[in-house]
Amino acid sequence: MAGDDDIFESLRLELRRGTLILAVLGQLRVERYGYTLRKALAEVGIEIDEGALYPMLRRLESQGLLISEWREEEKRNKRFYRLSPLGTETLARLIVEWRALNRSLDGILEA
Amino acid sequence: MDLLERYLGAIARQLPEDQKADVTAELRDLLLSQVEEAEAGLGRAQTREELEALLIRFGHPLTVAGRYRKVQHLIGPEVFPFWWAGVKLSVLIVVGLYAVLLAVELLGGRAEIVMDDSAIPSLTAALVFAFGAVTLVCALIERFGKTAMLTNWKPGELPPPEGRTRSRFDIIAEIATGAVFILWWTGVVHFRNFIPDLGLTIDLAPVWKVWFWPILGYSVFELGANLLALLRPGRVRTVEALLLVRSLVAAAILTAIFQAGHWLDVSSLTWTPEAQQVAGEKFDRGMRIGIGVAILIFLGMAGVSGWRLRAAILSARPVGKALAA
């Protein structure tokens, strides 16, 4: 039987999973490559496994939310990502949704 | 860095051709950035063991490559309950079929496939096949995004409360018996030593050949009606109407066959003609009783179905009126 800590950890991961896309889209309002994106997220307290981050970036790009470009930096080719116009529009809608959800949850949790 | 290239090569082998170069180039950059960061912290080059540890943390090549695959699971959470129900149902049907075959074996017979005189596949092989077939169908539904085929439903098609229709056990038993009968009737399987060796050869009389196609048609119809009753128990009126029709058809076919008065041909190389005649008459008497009882059973079934069909039609009144009544 799973211990209390295991249950908490699994619920915590589930809770965070849905918010990661929002965090990634939010960070890519500024152009970044994968490694710096991950570091930027870590600096604000959002740890993301690179095994999940890179496939997510590709999926978001294939959905038209991101644009990527290969460029040389620090003597190495790097793939830079940024929001596409559709990504910018989608992020704005997601932010509205997130804030509304947050308000609702605050109402429940602070009652 | 040979180790890094081997690692990237192992990932690349698992990726689709059009993604290989792109994904590995990006992963190479990411891993090199991590190596550089670690080396900057250490103030020296990484050892082979440290690089190995980094790669192990990064993940098994199959896991890393798998995350780039469009399909992440064979059967997703939406299809899973239908897959599970399908597996349970197919297992019940297969076990039912083999229970009928086992019953035949307990009576001394042995089922064989006529085409090559080979034995019927083992229960384990049949179960594995059924499991594989259900999994394949569900995986294809998942793969081609046809989950709506499963998830679209109508509350009106929910089965009625327990006790008002035939039990699943009865239906599965009928399906299993019907399937074995069709296989025998069409000559796909035959049963060896089913009748104790009395020195007699017993064959079906010509009347059965005359009625071969109607009986086969009836059996297939019965199998289809039972499968519908099993898979769509909520279609009470259709299920009961089919049961009514098939019971009446079965009674009619048997009544016609009953008129023949002779159903089994008995012959022997060792018995005298008189003894053969007496034995033939005894077998026919047994058949007369058997067919007569079967006709009465089918008529009884038709009566029950008719009553249930009437009840189902009456209960299909609008909910508001039913509640007001």
Side-chain angles (χ1 to χ4, degrees), chain B residues 143-191:
Chain B
R143 179 74 184 83
F144 293 104
K146 302 288 182 192
T147 48
M149 277 170 63
L150 301 172
T151 52
N152 281 352
W153 68 291
K154 292 177 186 165
E157 291 188 352
L158 286 172
E162 290 295 321
R164 286 171 57 183
T165 55
R166 286 186 297 160
S167 72
R168 274 162 65 94
F169 177 82
D170 287 350
I171 299 171
I172 289 171
E174 271 197 42
I175 289 173
T177 315
V180 172
F181 175 79
I182 290 172
L183 291 175
W184 172 74
W185 188 247
T186 52
V188 176
V189 297
H190 65 172
F191 296 105

mmCIF file of all heavy atoms in Angstrom, chain B residues 143-191:
data_model
loop_
_atom_site.group_PDB
_atom_site.id
_atom_site.type_symbol
_atom_site.label_atom_id
_atom_site.label_comp_id
_atom_site.label_asym_id
_atom_site.label_seq_id
_atom_site.Cartn_x
_atom_site.Cartn_y
_atom_site.Cartn_z
ATOM 1 N N ARG B 143 -5.736 4.041 -31.805
ATOM 2 C CA ARG B 143 -4.754 4.595 -32.761
ATOM 3 C C ARG B 143 -5.423 5.519 -33.767
ATOM 4 O O ARG B 143 -4.881 6.556 -34.128
ATOM 5 C CB ARG B 143 -4.070 3.423 -33.485
ATOM 6 C CG ARG B 143 -3.045 3.811 -34.521
ATOM 7 C CD ARG B 143 -1.769 4.301 -33.857
ATOM 8 N NE ARG B 143 -0.793 4.761 -34.818
ATOM 9 C CZ ARG B 143 -0.776 5.967 -35.350
ATOM 10 N NH1 ARG B 143 -1.693 6.842 -35.011
ATOM 11 N NH2 ARG B 143 0.161 6.317 -36.207
ATOM 12 N N PHE B 144 -6.607 5.113 -34.252
ATOM 13 C CA PHE B 144 -7.268 5.912 -35.283
ATOM 14 C C PHE B 144 -8.295 6.887 -34.704
ATOM 15 O O PHE B 144 -9.116 7.446 -35.430
ATOM 16 C CB PHE B 144 -7.894 4.993 -36.338
ATOM 17 C CG PHE B 144 -6.848 4.239 -37.127
ATOM 18 C CD1 PHE B 144 -6.591 2.908 -36.882
ATOM 19 C CD2 PHE B 144 -6.076 4.901 -38.073
ATOM 20 C CE1 PHE B 144 -5.601 2.231 -37.580
ATOM 21 C CE2 PHE B 144 -5.086 4.240 -38.767
ATOM 22 C CZ PHE B 144 -4.838 2.898 -38.522
ATOM 23 N N GLY B 145 -8.240 7.076 -33.386
ATOM 24 C CA GLY B 145 -9.081 8.086 -32.742
ATOM 25 C C GLY B 145 -10.572 7.845 -32.879
ATOM 26 O O GLY B 145 -11.352 8.796 -33.000
ATOM 27 N N LYS B 146 -10.986 6.578 -32.925
ATOM 28 C CA LYS B 146 -12.416 6.278 -33.099
ATOM 29 C C LYS B 146 -13.080 5.950 -31.759
ATOM 30 O O LYS B 146 -13.986 5.120 -31.706
ATOM 31 C CB LYS B 146 -12.592 5.086 -34.066
ATOM 32 C CG LYS B 146 -11.987 5.315 -35.432
ATOM 33 C CD LYS B 146 -12.810 6.305 -36.223
ATOM 34 C CE LYS B 146 -12.234 6.493 -37.626
ATOM 35 N NZ LYS B 146 -12.825 7.643 -38.319
ATOM 36 N N THR B 147 -12.629 6.583 -30.696
ATOM 37 C CA THR B 147 -13.166 6.244 -29.377
ATOM 38 C C THR B 147 -14.656 6.549 -29.255
ATOM 39 O O THR B 147 -15.350 5.948 -28.439
ATOM 40 C CB THR B 147 -12.407 6.989 -28.260
ATOM 41 O OG1 THR B 147 -12.327 8.348 -28.641
ATOM 42 C CG2 THR B 147 -11.023 6.448 -28.051
ATOM 43 N N ALA B 148 -15.129 7.484 -30.104
ATOM 44 C CA ALA B 148 -16.561 7.813 -30.056
ATOM 45 C C ALA B 148 -17.415 6.584 -30.350
ATOM 46 O O ALA B 148 -18.543 6.473 -29.872
ATOM 47 C CB ALA B 148 -16.875 8.927 -31.040
ATOM 48 N N MET B 149 -16.855 5.644 -31.138
ATOM 49 C CA MET B 149 -17.579 4.396 -31.432
ATOM 50 C C MET B 149 -17.975 3.692 -30.140
ATOM 51 O O MET B 149 -18.985 3.011 -30.067
ATOM 52 C CB MET B 149 -16.650 3.427 -32.197
ATOM 53 C CG MET B 149 -16.570 3.659 -33.667
ATOM 54 S SD MET B 149 -15.244 2.661 -34.360
ATOM 55 C CE MET B 149 -15.813 1.012 -34.004
ATOM 56 N N LEU B 150 -17.119 3.827 -29.130
ATOM 57 C CA LEU B 150 -17.358 3.138 -27.869
ATOM 58 C C LEU B 150 -18.102 4.019 -26.862
ATOM 59 O O LEU B 150 -18.945 3.545 -26.114
ATOM 60 C CB LEU B 150 -16.028 2.696 -27.250
ATOM 61 C CG LEU B 150 -15.160 1.756 -28.080
ATOM 62 C CD1 LEU B 150 -13.806 1.569 -27.425
ATOM 63 C CD2 LEU B 150 -15.845 0.418 -28.245
ATOM 64 N N THR B 151 -17.726 5.303 -26.850
ATOM 65 C CA THR B 151 -18.226 6.150 -25.762
ATOM 66 C C THR B 151 -19.600 6.765 -26.033
ATOM 67 O O THR B 151 -20.234 7.254 -25.109
ATOM 68 C CB THR B 151 -17.216 7.272 -25.453
ATOM 69 O OG1 THR B 151 -16.907 7.948 -26.679
ATOM 70 C CG2 THR B 151 -15.934 6.710 -24.868
ATOM 71 N N ASN B 152 -20.022 6.779 -27.318
ATOM 72 C CA ASN B 152 -21.372 7.299 -27.599
ATOM 73 C C ASN B 152 -22.393 6.283 -27.100
ATOM 74 O O ASN B 152 -22.322 5.108 -27.457
ATOM 75 C CB ASN B 152 -21.568 7.516 -29.105
ATOM 76 C CG ASN B 152 -20.916 8.804 -29.547
ATOM 77 O OD1 ASN B 152 -20.455 9.592 -28.719
ATOM 78 N ND2 ASN B 152 -20.849 9.010 -30.841
ATOM 79 N N TRP B 153 -23.300 6.728 -26.292
ATOM 80 C CA TRP B 153 -24.287 5.788 -25.753
ATOM 81 C C TRP B 153 -25.600 6.497 -25.465
ATOM 82 O O TRP B 153 -25.668 7.733 -25.447
ATOM 83 C CB TRP B 153 -23.754 5.138 -24.483
ATOM 84 C CG TRP B 153 -23.621 6.081 -23.324
ATOM 85 C CD1 TRP B 153 -22.717 7.095 -23.222
ATOM 86 C CD2 TRP B 153 -24.419 6.126 -22.150
ATOM 87 N NE1 TRP B 153 -22.893 7.757 -22.041
ATOM 88 C CE2 TRP B 153 -23.929 7.190 -21.362
ATOM 89 C CE3 TRP B 153 -25.486 5.370 -21.680
ATOM 90 C CZ2 TRP B 153 -24.483 7.520 -20.131
ATOM 91 C CZ3 TRP B 153 -26.038 5.697 -20.448
ATOM 92 C CH2 TRP B 153 -25.537 6.758 -19.688
ATOM 93 N N LYS B 154 -26.642 5.694 -25.311
ATOM 94 C CA LYS B 154 -27.962 6.257 -25.019
ATOM 95 C C LYS B 154 -28.446 5.655 -23.705
ATOM 96 O O LYS B 154 -28.452 4.415 -23.571
ATOM 97 C CB LYS B 154 -28.949 5.896 -26.127
ATOM 98 C CG LYS B 154 -28.632 6.573 -27.442
ATOM 99 C CD LYS B 154 -29.605 6.097 -28.503
ATOM 100 C CE LYS B 154 -29.204 6.645 -29.867
ATOM 101 N NZ LYS B 154 -29.888 5.953 -30.955
ATOM 102 N N PRO B 155 -28.855 6.483 -22.760
ATOM 103 C CA PRO B 155 -29.357 5.935 -21.488
ATOM 104 C C PRO B 155 -30.488 4.931 -21.695
ATOM 105 O O PRO B 155 -30.614 3.977 -20.937
ATOM 106 C CB PRO B 155 -29.828 7.168 -20.733
ATOM 107 C CG PRO B 155 -29.015 8.286 -21.302
ATOM 108 C CD PRO B 155 -28.805 7.951 -22.754
ATOM 109 N N GLY B 156 -31.263 5.146 -22.750
ATOM 110 C CA GLY B 156 -32.395 4.255 -23.024
ATOM 111 C C GLY B 156 -31.971 2.828 -23.350
ATOM 112 O O GLY B 156 -32.774 1.909 -23.326
ATOM 113 N N GLU B 157 -30.677 2.668 -23.713
ATOM 114 C CA GLU B 157 -30.200 1.328 -24.064
ATOM 115 C C GLU B 157 -29.567 0.600 -22.891
ATOM 116 O O GLU B 157 -28.979 -0.471 -23.060
ATOM 117 C CB GLU B 157 -29.207 1.419 -25.227
ATOM 118 C CG GLU B 157 -29.899 1.819 -26.523
ATOM 119 C CD GLU B 157 -28.986 1.719 -27.721
ATOM 120 O OE1 GLU B 157 -27.784 1.480 -27.539
ATOM 121 O OE2 GLU B 157 -29.493 1.879 -28.837
ATOM 122 N N LEU B 158 -29.662 1.204 -21.707
ATOM 123 C CA LEU B 158 -29.126 0.515 -20.525
ATOM 124 C C LEU B 158 -29.960 -0.734 -20.256
ATOM 125 O O LEU B 158 -31.174 -0.732 -20.502
ATOM 126 C CB LEU B 158 -29.182 1.429 -19.299
ATOM 127 C CG LEU B 158 -28.151 2.559 -19.268
ATOM 128 C CD1 LEU B 158 -28.458 3.498 -18.111
ATOM 129 C CD2 LEU B 158 -26.750 2.008 -19.126
ATOM 130 N N PRO B 159 -29.326 -1.800 -19.764
ATOM 131 C CA PRO B 159 -30.101 -3.023 -19.510
ATOM 132 C C PRO B 159 -31.118 -2.809 -18.399
ATOM 133 O O PRO B 159 -30.898 -1.975 -17.513
ATOM 134 C CB PRO B 159 -29.038 -4.041 -19.094
ATOM 135 C CG PRO B 159 -27.845 -3.256 -18.717
ATOM 136 C CD PRO B 159 -27.911 -1.963 -19.456
ATOM 137 N N PRO B 160 -32.221 -3.539 -18.455
ATOM 138 C CA PRO B 160 -33.231 -3.412 -17.394
ATOM 139 C C PRO B 160 -32.698 -3.975 -16.084
ATOM 140 O O PRO B 160 -31.659 -4.641 -16.084
ATOM 141 C CB PRO B 160 -34.389 -4.252 -17.923
ATOM 142 C CG PRO B 160 -33.785 -5.178 -18.902
ATOM 143 C CD PRO B 160 -32.575 -4.524 -19.451
ATOM 144 N N PRO B 161 -33.406 -3.714 -14.978
ATOM 145 C CA PRO B 161 -32.937 -4.243 -13.698
ATOM 146 C C PRO B 161 -32.774 -5.761 -13.746
ATOM 147 O O PRO B 161 -33.421 -6.441 -14.538
ATOM 148 C CB PRO B 161 -34.051 -3.861 -12.719
ATOM 149 C CG PRO B 161 -34.777 -2.767 -13.381
ATOM 150 C CD PRO B 161 -34.652 -2.979 -14.844
ATOM 151 N N GLU B 162 -31.904 -6.255 -12.861
ATOM 152 C CA GLU B 162 -31.632 -7.703 -12.808
ATOM 153 C C GLU B 162 -32.923 -8.503 -12.648
ATOM 154 O O GLU B 162 -33.870 -8.050 -12.022
ATOM 155 C CB GLU B 162 -30.734 -8.017 -11.600
ATOM 156 C CG GLU B 162 -29.313 -7.514 -11.747
ATOM 157 C CD GLU B 162 -28.552 -8.188 -12.865
ATOM 158 O OE1 GLU B 162 -28.728 -9.399 -13.027
ATOM 159 O OE2 GLU B 162 -27.811 -7.495 -13.595
ATOM 160 N N GLY B 163 -32.913 -9.688 -13.219
ATOM 161 C CA GLY B 163 -34.027 -10.609 -13.005
ATOM 162 C C GLY B 163 -35.142 -10.472 -14.020
ATOM 163 O O GLY B 163 -36.043 -11.284 -14.043
ATOM 164 N N ARG B 164 -35.049 -9.416 -14.864
ATOM 165 C CA ARG B 164 -36.132 -9.248 -15.832
ATOM 166 C C ARG B 164 -35.746 -9.727 -17.225
ATOM 167 O O ARG B 164 -36.533 -9.668 -18.154
ATOM 168 C CB ARG B 164 -36.586 -7.795 -15.850
ATOM 169 C CG ARG B 164 -37.389 -7.460 -14.599
ATOM 170 C CD ARG B 164 -37.673 -6.002 -14.448
ATOM 171 N NE ARG B 164 -38.375 -5.452 -15.575
ATOM 172 C CZ ARG B 164 -38.679 -4.165 -15.687
ATOM 173 N NH1 ARG B 164 -38.349 -3.342 -14.717
ATOM 174 N NH2 ARG B 164 -39.305 -3.701 -16.731
ATOM 175 N N THR B 165 -34.507 -10.129 -17.387
ATOM 176 C CA THR B 165 -34.095 -10.697 -18.666
ATOM 177 C C THR B 165 -33.295 -11.962 -18.380
ATOM 178 O O THR B 165 -33.033 -12.295 -17.241
ATOM 179 C CB THR B 165 -33.187 -9.714 -19.436
ATOM 180 O OG1 THR B 165 -32.113 -9.368 -18.580
ATOM 181 C CG2 THR B 165 -33.934 -8.473 -19.864
ATOM 182 N N ARG B 166 -32.873 -12.626 -19.467
ATOM 183 C CA ARG B 166 -32.043 -13.821 -19.289
ATOM 184 C C ARG B 166 -30.720 -13.419 -18.660
ATOM 185 O O ARG B 166 -30.210 -12.327 -18.917
ATOM 186 C CB ARG B 166 -31.772 -14.457 -20.650
ATOM 187 C CG ARG B 166 -32.985 -15.180 -21.213
ATOM 188 C CD ARG B 166 -32.599 -15.916 -22.482
ATOM 189 N NE ARG B 166 -32.173 -14.974 -23.512
ATOM 190 C CZ ARG B 166 -31.433 -15.321 -24.555
ATOM 191 N NH1 ARG B 166 -30.999 -16.554 -24.679
ATOM 192 N NH2 ARG B 166 -31.118 -14.437 -25.462
ATOM 193 N N SER B 167 -30.140 -14.308 -17.882
ATOM 194 C CA SER B 167 -28.860 -13.989 -17.254
ATOM 195 C C SER B 167 -27.744 -14.094 -18.299
ATOM 196 O O SER B 167 -27.884 -14.778 -19.312
ATOM 197 C CB SER B 167 -28.572 -14.939 -16.103
ATOM 198 O OG SER B 167 -28.252 -16.211 -16.618
ATOM 199 N N ARG B 168 -26.631 -13.395 -18.018
ATOM 200 C CA ARG B 168 -25.482 -13.457 -18.924
ATOM 201 C C ARG B 168 -24.963 -14.889 -19.023
ATOM 202 O O ARG B 168 -24.510 -15.320 -20.078
ATOM 203 C CB ARG B 168 -24.358 -12.541 -18.396
ATOM 204 C CG ARG B 168 -24.514 -11.104 -18.857
ATOM 205 C CD ARG B 168 -23.687 -10.190 -17.991
ATOM 206 N NE ARG B 168 -22.269 -10.416 -18.116
ATOM 207 C CZ ARG B 168 -21.471 -9.747 -18.953
ATOM 208 N NH1 ARG B 168 -21.968 -8.822 -19.721
ATOM 209 N NH2 ARG B 168 -20.179 -9.997 -19.001
ATOM 210 N N PHE B 169 -25.041 -15.615 -17.916
ATOM 211 C CA PHE B 169 -24.562 -16.999 -17.917
ATOM 212 C C PHE B 169 -25.346 -17.820 -18.944
ATOM 213 O O PHE B 169 -24.765 -18.565 -19.727
ATOM 214 C CB PHE B 169 -24.715 -17.609 -16.516
ATOM 215 C CG PHE B 169 -24.299 -19.054 -16.446
ATOM 216 C CD1 PHE B 169 -22.966 -19.390 -16.310
ATOM 217 C CD2 PHE B 169 -25.242 -20.064 -16.561
ATOM 218 C CE1 PHE B 169 -22.572 -20.729 -16.279
ATOM 219 C CE2 PHE B 169 -24.861 -21.401 -16.530
ATOM 220 C CZ PHE B 169 -23.523 -21.726 -16.379
ATOM 221 N N ASP B 170 -26.698 -17.664 -18.932
ATOM 222 C CA ASP B 170 -27.541 -18.400 -19.876
ATOM 223 C C ASP B 170 -27.161 -18.063 -21.318
ATOM 224 O O ASP B 170 -27.051 -18.942 -22.175
ATOM 225 C CB ASP B 170 -29.026 -18.033 -19.678
ATOM 226 C CG ASP B 170 -29.577 -18.640 -18.396
ATOM 227 O OD1 ASP B 170 -28.866 -19.464 -17.802
ATOM 228 O OD2 ASP B 170 -30.697 -18.273 -18.002
ATOM 229 N N ILE B 171 -26.974 -16.757 -21.554
ATOM 230 C CA ILE B 171 -26.693 -16.322 -22.929
ATOM 231 C C ILE B 171 -25.341 -16.863 -23.389
ATOM 232 O O ILE B 171 -25.210 -17.385 -24.506
ATOM 233 C CB ILE B 171 -26.706 -14.774 -23.023
ATOM 234 C CG1 ILE B 171 -28.092 -14.248 -22.631
ATOM 235 C CG2 ILE B 171 -26.377 -14.314 -24.432
ATOM 236 C CD1 ILE B 171 -28.173 -12.746 -22.469
ATOM 237 N N ILE B 172 -24.332 -16.761 -22.500
ATOM 238 C CA ILE B 172 -22.993 -17.253 -22.873
ATOM 239 C C ILE B 172 -23.034 -18.771 -23.092
ATOM 240 O O ILE B 172 -22.428 -19.292 -24.035
ATOM 241 C CB ILE B 172 -21.953 -16.860 -21.801
ATOM 242 C CG1 ILE B 172 -21.706 -15.350 -21.881
ATOM 243 C CG2 ILE B 172 -20.638 -17.610 -21.998
ATOM 244 C CD1 ILE B 172 -20.871 -14.789 -20.769
ATOM 245 N N ALA B 173 -23.779 -19.485 -22.251
ATOM 246 C CA ALA B 173 -23.897 -20.943 -22.427
ATOM 247 C C ALA B 173 -24.530 -21.254 -23.781
ATOM 248 O O ALA B 173 -24.087 -22.170 -24.495
ATOM 249 C CB ALA B 173 -24.734 -21.534 -21.292
ATOM 250 N N GLU B 174 -25.540 -20.470 -24.162
ATOM 251 C CA GLU B 174 -26.200 -20.703 -25.461
ATOM 252 C C GLU B 174 -25.271 -20.382 -26.615
ATOM 253 O O GLU B 174 -25.264 -21.076 -27.640
ATOM 254 C CB GLU B 174 -27.466 -19.839 -25.566
ATOM 255 C CG GLU B 174 -28.690 -20.540 -25.027
ATOM 256 C CD GLU B 174 -29.979 -19.875 -25.495
ATOM 257 O OE1 GLU B 174 -30.075 -19.502 -26.672
ATOM 258 O OE2 GLU B 174 -30.879 -19.713 -24.665
ATOM 259 N N ILE B 175 -24.489 -19.289 -26.464
ATOM 260 C CA ILE B 175 -23.530 -18.929 -27.521
ATOM 261 C C ILE B 175 -22.514 -20.060 -27.706
ATOM 262 O O ILE B 175 -22.216 -20.479 -28.826
ATOM 263 C CB ILE B 175 -22.817 -17.599 -27.178
ATOM 264 C CG1 ILE B 175 -23.791 -16.428 -27.314
ATOM 265 C CG2 ILE B 175 -21.601 -17.380 -28.086
ATOM 266 C CD1 ILE B 175 -23.244 -15.105 -26.842
ATOM 267 N N ALA B 176 -21.972 -20.537 -26.573
ATOM 268 C CA ALA B 176 -20.949 -21.590 -26.637
ATOM 269 C C ALA B 176 -21.518 -22.854 -27.271
ATOM 270 O O ALA B 176 -20.921 -23.442 -28.191
ATOM 271 C CB ALA B 176 -20.429 -21.879 -25.231
ATOM 272 N N THR B 177 -22.706 -23.255 -26.824
ATOM 273 C CA THR B 177 -23.312 -24.472 -27.372
ATOM 274 C C THR B 177 -23.627 -24.285 -28.850
ATOM 275 O O THR B 177 -23.375 -25.182 -29.673
ATOM 276 C CB THR B 177 -24.625 -24.797 -26.607
ATOM 277 O OG1 THR B 177 -24.375 -24.636 -25.217
ATOM 278 C CG2 THR B 177 -25.100 -26.205 -26.868
ATOM 279 N N GLY B 178 -24.164 -23.113 -29.189
ATOM 280 C CA GLY B 178 -24.518 -22.823 -30.579
ATOM 281 C C GLY B 178 -23.295 -22.851 -31.479
ATOM 282 O O GLY B 178 -23.343 -23.401 -32.595
ATOM 283 N N ALA B 179 -22.188 -22.264 -30.996
ATOM 284 C CA ALA B 179 -20.967 -22.230 -31.818
ATOM 285 C C ALA B 179 -20.442 -23.633 -32.053
ATOM 286 O O ALA B 179 -20.062 -23.990 -33.181
ATOM 287 C CB ALA B 179 -19.908 -21.362 -31.135
ATOM 288 N N VAL B 180 -20.433 -24.455 -31.000
ATOM 289 C CA VAL B 180 -19.952 -25.841 -31.156
ATOM 290 C C VAL B 180 -20.874 -26.600 -32.116
ATOM 291 O O VAL B 180 -20.417 -27.347 -32.984
ATOM 292 C CB VAL B 180 -19.879 -26.555 -29.780
ATOM 293 C CG1 VAL B 180 -19.581 -28.039 -29.961
ATOM 294 C CG2 VAL B 180 -18.809 -25.914 -28.909
ATOM 295 N N PHE B 181 -22.186 -26.353 -31.992
ATOM 296 C CA PHE B 181 -23.140 -27.040 -32.880
ATOM 297 C C PHE B 181 -22.882 -26.662 -34.346
ATOM 298 O O PHE B 181 -22.854 -27.532 -35.226
ATOM 299 C CB PHE B 181 -24.585 -26.695 -32.494
ATOM 300 C CG PHE B 181 -25.592 -27.270 -33.454
ATOM 301 C CD1 PHE B 181 -25.950 -28.614 -33.375
ATOM 302 C CD2 PHE B 181 -26.148 -26.492 -34.468
ATOM 303 C CE1 PHE B 181 -26.851 -29.169 -34.285
ATOM 304 C CE2 PHE B 181 -27.053 -27.038 -35.376
ATOM 305 C CZ PHE B 181 -27.409 -28.375 -35.275
ATOM 306 N N ILE B 182 -22.686 -25.355 -34.606
ATOM 307 C CA ILE B 182 -22.468 -24.912 -35.994
ATOM 308 C C ILE B 182 -21.190 -25.559 -36.559
ATOM 309 O O ILE B 182 -21.162 -26.016 -37.699
ATOM 310 C CB ILE B 182 -22.390 -23.366 -36.073
ATOM 311 C CG1 ILE B 182 -23.775 -22.764 -35.809
ATOM 312 C CG2 ILE B 182 -21.879 -22.900 -37.438
ATOM 313 C CD1 ILE B 182 -23.798 -21.257 -35.663
ATOM 314 N N LEU B 183 -20.143 -25.604 -35.733
ATOM 315 C CA LEU B 183 -18.879 -26.215 -36.183
ATOM 316 C C LEU B 183 -19.085 -27.698 -36.523
ATOM 317 O O LEU B 183 -18.551 -28.203 -37.499
ATOM 318 C CB LEU B 183 -17.795 -26.072 -35.093
ATOM 319 C CG LEU B 183 -17.294 -24.649 -34.836
ATOM 320 C CD1 LEU B 183 -16.334 -24.634 -33.653
ATOM 321 C CD2 LEU B 183 -16.610 -24.078 -36.072
ATOM 322 N N TRP B 184 -19.908 -28.373 -35.724
ATOM 323 C CA TRP B 184 -20.174 -29.792 -35.977
ATOM 324 C C TRP B 184 -21.089 -29.956 -37.193
ATOM 325 O O TRP B 184 -20.850 -30.766 -38.074
ATOM 326 C CB TRP B 184 -20.823 -30.423 -34.737
ATOM 327 C CG TRP B 184 -21.296 -31.825 -34.983
ATOM 328 C CD1 TRP B 184 -20.528 -32.932 -35.103
ATOM 329 C CD2 TRP B 184 -22.653 -32.245 -35.178
ATOM 330 N NE1 TRP B 184 -21.307 -34.038 -35.357
ATOM 331 C CE2 TRP B 184 -22.624 -33.645 -35.404
ATOM 332 C CE3 TRP B 184 -23.883 -31.587 -35.183
ATOM 333 C CZ2 TRP B 184 -23.777 -34.384 -35.630
ATOM 334 C CZ3 TRP B 184 -25.041 -32.330 -35.403
ATOM 335 C CH2 TRP B 184 -24.975 -33.710 -35.627
ATOM 336 N N TRP B 185 -22.151 -29.140 -37.257
ATOM 337 C CA TRP B 185 -23.157 -29.267 -38.311
ATOM 338 C C TRP B 185 -22.547 -29.003 -39.687
ATOM 339 O O TRP B 185 -22.901 -29.646 -40.676
ATOM 340 C CB TRP B 185 -24.302 -28.283 -38.031
ATOM 341 C CG TRP B 185 -25.510 -28.422 -38.922
ATOM 342 C CD1 TRP B 185 -25.944 -27.523 -39.839
ATOM 343 C CD2 TRP B 185 -26.439 -29.505 -38.965
ATOM 344 N NE1 TRP B 185 -27.076 -27.970 -40.441
ATOM 345 C CE2 TRP B 185 -27.411 -29.207 -39.926
ATOM 346 C CE3 TRP B 185 -26.532 -30.717 -38.280
ATOM 347 C CZ2 TRP B 185 -28.463 -30.045 -40.234
ATOM 348 C CZ3 TRP B 185 -27.593 -31.565 -38.582
ATOM 349 C CH2 TRP B 185 -28.537 -31.229 -39.547
ATOM 350 N N THR B 186 -21.614 -28.041 -39.761
ATOM 351 C CA THR B 186 -20.981 -27.711 -41.044
ATOM 352 C C THR B 186 -19.787 -28.624 -41.326
ATOM 353 O O THR B 186 -19.133 -28.490 -42.349
ATOM 354 C CB THR B 186 -20.506 -26.242 -41.057
ATOM 355 O OG1 THR B 186 -19.714 -26.027 -39.878
ATOM 356 C CG2 THR B 186 -21.660 -25.272 -41.063
ATOM 357 N N GLY B 187 -19.471 -29.518 -40.397
ATOM 358 C CA GLY B 187 -18.396 -30.485 -40.640
ATOM 359 C C GLY B 187 -17.008 -29.960 -40.354
ATOM 360 O O GLY B 187 -16.016 -30.581 -40.733
ATOM 361 N N VAL B 188 -16.906 -28.806 -39.699
ATOM 362 C CA VAL B 188 -15.572 -28.274 -39.377
ATOM 363 C C VAL B 188 -14.922 -29.140 -38.292
ATOM 364 O O VAL B 188 -13.733 -29.416 -38.334
ATOM 365 C CB VAL B 188 -15.661 -26.795 -38.920
ATOM 366 C CG1 VAL B 188 -14.286 -26.270 -38.493
ATOM 367 C CG2 VAL B 188 -16.218 -25.933 -40.041
ATOM 368 N N VAL B 189 -15.719 -29.562 -37.316
ATOM 369 C CA VAL B 189 -15.188 -30.492 -36.316
ATOM 370 C C VAL B 189 -16.069 -31.748 -36.304
ATOM 371 O O VAL B 189 -17.231 -31.696 -36.717
ATOM 372 C CB VAL B 189 -15.169 -29.888 -34.879
ATOM 373 C CG1 VAL B 189 -14.273 -28.693 -34.784
ATOM 374 C CG2 VAL B 189 -16.561 -29.555 -34.404
ATOM 375 N N HIS B 190 -15.488 -32.816 -35.889
ATOM 376 C CA HIS B 190 -16.318 -33.995 -35.666
ATOM 377 C C HIS B 190 -15.950 -34.585 -34.308
ATOM 378 O O HIS B 190 -14.915 -34.258 -33.731
ATOM 379 C CB HIS B 190 -16.195 -35.016 -36.804
ATOM 380 C CG HIS B 190 -14.843 -35.613 -36.941
ATOM 381 N ND1 HIS B 190 -14.562 -36.647 -37.784
ATOM 382 C CD2 HIS B 190 -13.664 -35.314 -36.365
ATOM 383 C CE1 HIS B 190 -13.288 -36.963 -37.713
ATOM 384 N NE2 HIS B 190 -12.718 -36.157 -36.863
ATOM 385 N N PHE B 191 -16.837 -35.403 -33.801
ATOM 386 C CA PHE B 191 -16.617 -35.964 -32.467
ATOM 387 C C PHE B 191 -16.396 -37.461 -32.606
ATOM 388 O O PHE B 191 -17.265 -38.186 -33.104
ATOM 389 C CB PHE B 191 -17.807 -35.660 -31.558
ATOM 390 C CG PHE B 191 -17.979 -34.191 -31.323
ATOM 391 C CD1 PHE B 191 -18.988 -33.483 -31.958
ATOM 392 C CD2 PHE B 191 -17.115 -33.497 -30.495
ATOM 393 C CE1 PHE B 191 -19.131 -32.125 -31.764
ATOM 394 C CE2 PHE B 191 -17.246 -32.142 -30.292
ATOM 395 C CZ PHE B 191 -18.258 -31.458 -30.933
#
